[in-house]
Amino acid sequence: MTSRTPCPCGLPGTYEECCGRFHSGAASAPTAERLMRSRYAAFVRREGAYLLRTWHPRTRPARLDLDPAMRWTGLEILATEDGSAFHSTGTVTFRASYQGGSLHERSRFERVDGAWVYVDGDFPS
């Protein structure tokens, strides 16, 4: 993808300026919401190593098999609770659309060694 590619997370700016710097390791997501957005972008771009790296060690799977046929089409942040630079935990409720449906999840995040990581999530009705 070129340097003019918009970031799949939905924020303005190019992929390189936005989530690309988190995926490459050049920067860390400053909030739980930015980590959630960067993880969505990682699913879009099939960045499995980043997804595993940003998963809490307590809940991280041994491996991650991403479906190459999956086509993510959009992200909507529905709510956030805590998760700022001043918190150690946070939640982000979102809807991620894909070709043929959508995923509605309330994700939990914690800081491990100062960095935000995904813990787990539930699926509100």
Side-chain angles (χ1 to χ4, degrees), residues 19-101:
C19 293
R21 60 199 176 105
F22 303 141
H23 293 173
S24 72
S28 294
T31 65
E33 180 184 336
R34 287 301 301 269
L35 179 65
M36 197 259 114
R37 287 180 177 277
S38 73
R39 286 176 57 83
Y40 170 81
F43 275 103
V44 171
R45 296 176 58 93
R46 293 182 199 68
E47 296 280 350
Y50 178 77
L51 292 166
L52 289 171
R53 190 168 72 242
T54 58
W55 211 310
H56 197 291
R58 180 175 78 238
T59 58
R60 178 177 41 225
R63 57 182 267 197
L64 188 61
D65 296 318
L66 299 176
D67 181 354
M70 178 64 95
R71 298 290 176 254
W72 296 98
T73 59
L75 176 65
E76 179 184 5
I77 302 298
L78 304 173
T80 61
E81 184 179 322
D82 297 336
S84 78
F86 304 104
H87 299 107
S88 58
T89 63
T91 61
V92 179
T93 304
F94 67 92
R95 181 172 292 110
S97 300
Y98 56 87
Q99 201 167 33

